[in-house]
Every structure is written in structure tokens, then in C-alpha cells.
Amino acid sequence: MKLQRKNRLRATALGALAVSSALVLTACGSDNNSGSDTGGSGEKTSAASNIKCDDAKGQLLASGSSAQKNAMDLWVKDYMAGCKGVEVNYKASSSGEGIIAFNQGTVGFAGSDSALKPEEVADSKKVCKTGQGINLPMVGGPIAIGFHLEGVDSLTLDAPTLAKIFDGKIKKWNDPAIAKLNKDAKLPAKAIQAFHRSEDSGTTQNLGKYLAATAPNDWKYEPEKKWPAPGGQAASGSAGVAAQVKQVDGSIGYFELSYASSQSISTVDINTGGSAPVKATSENASKAIAAAKIKGTGKDLALDLDYTTKAEGAYPIVLVTYEVVCDTGNKAETLPTVKSFLNYTAGDEGQKLLTEAGYAPIPTEINAKVRETIASLK
């Protein structure tokens, strides 16, 4: 059964990664009782995966980060297979759009690759009548630097060189700075085409935090969700940037590892100053995320990531996607479903799916606090 489960998850992941629009899935199942049962306490539980549906019902709308889309696709499919009569609709747009939707009260929760700003917390109090919006870290992973350069399968860059490429200061692939880091590569005198996100993006902001922290002399921009540097070409969502890099020879861009894996896009190894360049893998991202500290107060679990780490094997360009909810004041009609769904995503099965989809689970100590907070939502 374990082997069948593993094969099913892999097959599901491959199917989900190929989808470019948000999934709207409807609960399915036969009329028999094989999909779920009811225990003596009246609590519904999925027989297949032990998902606690509790009082979840109806439709739950959510939106935001496209970085977590591939994980969310798997979560939604698994959750709805276990909880009959529940429909979860996550629109993968961008972190900025997700926060706007949350603060307008049109979604039960939002996904964001960066923690709420003070002004966004203030706005959330209009929706969370008795509380405010808080950040629950749910998805970790590497921001892969994908490239497409005919004849070059392996590429190493460091932070200053990467900053100059995305700032338009390095324009050719055979630039001496790139050649110095890739002595065995046959680099062509081809123009670099750098792609970035067109809309406000937490992925953009996290890349900016990395560049600002590790190459301050070469990246003078404040880390914001909006792409700050002149030049380059814009594409919509992580899927759009990945699609352009896949198609265009001489291109480079940034997106979550799952997009690179699903489309067989080559990724850059990062020279952190350690003993060897570090590859963009879930395991290596986990090493960096494990050092994160909680900087939020109260029930807010916003994290402080160390982008300057030189720890052996730690991939430094990482992000954590938060699910944004009200600590108190959640809508009564959707609160049971929000708690049930997030309990599943933060649970052992939900976090296990992350590795199989190219993401990194949230460190155990932090995840334990996430589960406690979800249980306390009102």
C-alpha cells in the first residue's frame, strides 16, 4: 500500500505541475461509505488519508502566491477526495493580489511569499473585526535561477554577478565575471535576456532580499514585491517566467524549483563562498530555512530568513509562503473549512507532499507552532 500511495502521489504531482491555471475541483466519490466515515465523536475522517474534515462544508475561496500553486494543487485534490461536499478553490495569481483579496474580505485565506506589512495588518482589522491578519508559514522552498543557453548544461553564479545580470550591467553570456566562475564552460557571445515577474510578487521580493543582503554594492534596490530594476522582460506569474526561459535561448529568470523540475529547465548553482557551489534542491533549501527565526509577535509567525548563510550545502535563495488568516474574527461560515484545510496542509501528510513536489517542509519546531495557532483560530 505504501508503494501504491507513493506512486499515486508522484503521478498526481506530475499532473498538477502541468496545469497553468488555478484548479477548481469538486468533491467526488461514490454513494458508498468508502470515502469517509464518522467516528463515535461525530468527527468525519477520510478513511484513505486520515484527513479530519470536522465541520467543513460548502465552498472555500482563497487566492494569492503562484509560488505555492503546485503544492496547493496537490493539497486541494487530496483534501477534497477525503472531504465530501467541500469545494476548495485557490486562485494562483500573486502575493500582492492575494493580500488585496484578503483585506477586501473576498477570500477565506490568502497565500503570500512575504509577511504582511504593517499597513497591510492595519487594513486587515477592517475584515478581522475582532483581530487582525497573521502569517502562518506553510510552504518552503528554493527560488531557482533557471537558464536556457544552448551548449551549456551547468552554470555557477555568485550574488554580485547575479545582481549585475538582473540589473542589466552584464549583457553577454561570455562576460569575464561569468567566465571566471565557469572555467570549463564554452560560453557564447550571446545577449542575455533576463525575465522577471510583471506583477507584484513575493518571489520577486525574496530574490531582492537575497541580492540586497549578499551583494549590496551591486544591488541598490529596496526589496519590494514590484520588480525594481530597469530593462529585462516581464512575464506573468512564475509559470509565465518559466515558460519564457524554457522557450528563449540565452534567457535567465527566477521561479520556484517545481516549475524548473516540471519543465526540465536547467538551474544555476550558487557560489555562496562555501567549499562548493550549492544546487537548488529541496534538501538544500531546507538547510537554510531550518535556521530561520520567528520574528512575529503574538500569534503571528512571520520568519526571519538568513540569506547570507554560508552553511555547507545550504541553498540561500529561499522563500517561505505564508497562509494569511485572521487570528480572531474569521467568517463563521468558512472558519471550520479554513481550520480543517490548513490543519491538513500543516499536518504530516500535507507537509510530506511538499518534498515530492519540489518544495521544502516547514521545520518541525516552527510547524508545531503553526498547528497550535490553527487550532486557536476564531
Side-chain angles (χ1 to χ4, degrees), residues 57-187:
K57 61 183 178 180
Q59 184 184 60
L60 172 62
L61 300 179
S63 69
S65 165
S66 66
Q68 69 171 359
K69 176 191 181 302
N70 295 327
M72 192 61 71
D73 286 351
L74 294 174
W75 281 337
V76 168
K77 183 177 180 66
D78 227 26
Y79 179 80
M80 290 175 54
C83 296
K84 291 183 178 182
V86 182
E87 180 181 333
V88 180
N89 180 355
Y90 181 82
K91 180 183 178 183
S93 50
S94 69
S95 297
E97 292 179 39
I99 296 303
I100 291 173
F102 178 77
N103 281 342
Q104 290 177 340
T106 60
V107 295
F109 70 89
S112 178
D113 305 327
S114 54
L116 292 168
K117 295 179 179 180
E119 58 268 28
E120 292 171 335
V121 173
D123 286 343
S124 74
K125 294 179 180 180
K126 301 172 186 176
V127 174
C128 309
K129 301 297 185 181
T130 59
Q132 65 182 43
I134 58 172
N135 305 282
L136 301 179
M138 197 68 69
V139 182
I143 299 175
I145 307 299
F147 72 97
H148 178 176
L149 190 58
E150 296 295 336
V152 179
D153 297 322
S154 177
L155 188 70
T156 295
L157 296 174
D158 57 15
T161 306
L162 198 59
K164 291 173 186 175
I165 288 173
F166 279 116
D167 198 22
K169 299 295 193 299
I170 292 179
K171 302 180 182 296
K172 297 282 188 179
W173 279 109
N174 64 345
D175 187 276
I178 301 177
K180 183 178 180 181
L181 293 165
N182 300 273
K183 295 180 180 179
D184 296 329
K186 295 181 179 180
L187 299 169

Side-chain angles (χ1 to χ4, degrees), residues 17-359:
L17 297 179
V19 181
S20 60
S21 61
L23 284 181
V24 181
L25 298 173
T26 55
C28 59
S30 63
D31 292 333
N32 62 31
N33 295 322
S34 61
S36 63
D37 56 40
T38 303
S41 63
E43 180 183 85
K44 292 185 297 181
T45 303
S46 163
S49 54
N50 296 319
I51 296 173
K52 294 183 178 180
C53 306
D54 295 327
D55 296 320
K57 61 183 178 180
Q59 184 184 60
L60 172 62
L61 300 179
S63 69
S65 165
S66 66
Q68 69 171 359
K69 176 191 181 302
N70 295 327
M72 192 61 71
D73 286 351
L74 294 174
W75 281 337
V76 168
K77 183 177 180 66
D78 227 26
Y79 179 80
M80 290 175 54
C83 296
K84 291 183 178 182
V86 182
E87 180 181 333
V88 180
N89 180 355
Y90 181 82
K91 180 183 178 183
S93 50
S94 69
S95 297
E97 292 179 39
I99 296 303
I100 291 173
F102 178 77
N103 281 342
Q104 290 177 340
T106 60
V107 295
F109 70 89
S112 178
D113 305 327
S114 54
L116 292 168
K117 295 179 179 180
E119 58 268 28
E120 292 171 335
V121 173
D123 286 343
S124 74
K125 294 179 180 180
K126 301 172 186 176
V127 174
C128 309
K129 301 297 185 181
T130 59
Q132 65 182 43
I134 58 172
N135 305 282
L136 301 179
M138 197 68 69
V139 182
I143 299 175
I145 307 299
F147 72 97
H148 178 176
L149 190 58
E150 296 295 336
V152 179
D153 297 322
S154 177
L155 188 70
T156 295
L157 296 174
D158 57 15
T161 306
L162 198 59
K164 291 173 186 175
I165 288 173
F166 279 116
D167 198 22
K169 299 295 193 299
I170 292 179
K171 302 180 182 296
K172 297 282 188 179
W173 279 109
N174 64 345
D175 187 276
I178 301 177
K180 183 178 180 181
L181 293 165
N182 300 273
K183 295 180 180 179
D184 296 329
K186 295 181 179 180
L187 299 169
K190 182 182 289 293
I192 296 174
Q193 298 191 57
F195 286 91
H196 59 263
R197 292 282 290 274
S198 60
E199 71 288 347
D200 286 3
S201 160
T203 309
T204 294
Q205 187 172 39
N206 278 276
L207 175 63
K209 288 178 179 179
Y210 164 74
L211 294 175
T214 55
N217 294 329
D218 300 296
W219 191 256
K220 303 291 187 179
Y221 308 101
E222 288 294 321
E224 297 291 345
K225 292 178 182 177
K226 185 176 181 61
W227 181 255
Q233 301 180 59
S236 178
S238 292
V241 175
Q244 290 298 320
V245 173
K246 177 72 173 179
Q247 295 170 10
V248 179
D249 184 22
S251 62
I252 190 169
Y254 59 95
F255 33 79
E256 293 66 44
L257 180 62
S258 61
Y259 290 92
S261 301
S262 64
Q263 300 186 51
S264 300
I265 297 173
S266 298
T267 60
V268 171
D269 297 343
I270 301 298
N271 184 335
T272 64
S275 62
V278 184
K279 295 185 178 298
T281 68
S282 297
E283 181 182 3
N284 291 343
S286 293
K287 294 176 182 177
I289 295 172
K293 305 295 183 184
I294 295 175
K295 64 179 180 180
T297 57
K299 293 183 179 180
D300 184 75
L301 300 177
L303 301 179
D304 186 14
L305 299 170
D306 181 10
Y307 297 97
T308 64
T309 181
K310 292 181 174 59
E312 201 65 29
Y315 183 82
I317 317 177
V318 295
L319 61 75
V320 169
T321 293
Y322 302 95
E323 312 309 341
V324 177
V325 295
C326 298
D327 54 2
T328 63
N330 290 280
K331 293 181 179 179
E333 62 269 26
T334 57
L335 177 59
T337 309
V338 168
K339 293 179 70 171
S340 171
F341 180 69
L342 295 184
N343 267 324
Y344 161 64
T345 64
D348 292 339
E349 285 200 27
Q351 289 292 296
K352 180 182 176 183
L353 277 179
L354 293 178
T355 300
E356 298 178 20
Y359 295 93

